[in-house]
Amino acid sequence: SSDVKKMLAPVLDFDKHSATEQYTETLSPEVKQAIAEKKPIEGMSRDEVLLALGRPVHKSRESKDGVEYEDWIYGNPPGRVTFVTFVGPKVVKVKDTYAGLGGTIAETPAQP
């Protein structure tokens, strides 16, 4: 089989990776790290957020002062809920909260 691969090498690339692997090779080190840690960061694109967190539980859109905002919401109360806010194609804000029982929402405590 190795001889056949050598003969076909000029025509076929047997070392090709998946489209996702090829895409992630083009990302900045900061974005790669955020994806590996499953944490969204400001400046990410929608595709990068999907790689980091998957599909959101809920999406919402609103317009303020002529600017269109889109929120992707991850998680369900009670527990951690992450809001990823886009303006255009990029993340402009990431907010983690902990939604407790009874509808109360508190900021996530800082990690020591």
Side-chain angles (χ1 to χ4, degrees):
S1 71
S2 63
D3 291 335
V4 173
K5 283 186 178 181
K6 286 179 185 176
M7 290 183 345
L8 295 174
V11 181
L12 300 173
D13 183 359
F14 291 100
D15 296 324
K16 285 225 177 210
H17 301 284
S18 72
T20 302
E21 289 173 325
Q22 289 177 351
Y23 175 71
T24 55
E25 290 173 3
T26 65
L27 301 175
S28 71
E30 296 83 14
V31 171
K32 285 182 186 178
Q33 181 178 352
I35 290 170
E37 294 174 357
K38 299 190 180 300
K39 293 183 178 181
I41 58 173
E42 291 181 11
M44 279 183 147
S45 70
R46 285 175 170 76
D47 289 337
E48 293 163 352
V49 173
L50 287 171
L51 285 172
L53 298 177
R55 297 207 176 273
V57 174
H58 182 71
K59 292 181 183 180
S60 68
R61 290 184 182 190
E62 64 181 68
S63 180
K64 290 182 186 174
D65 300 324
V67 178
E68 293 287 325
Y69 294 91
E70 183 175 351
D71 283 315
W72 288 11
I73 304 164
Y74 293 88
N76 288 307
R80 182 176 167 176
V81 179
T82 301
F83 296 87
V84 181
T85 305
F86 292 89
V87 171
K90 298 289 182 183
V91 174
V92 295
K93 183 179 177 185
V94 176
K95 182 179 179 183
D96 285 325
T97 62
Y98 183 83
L101 296 173
T104 61
I105 297 178
E107 294 295 322
T108 304
Q111 299 295 327

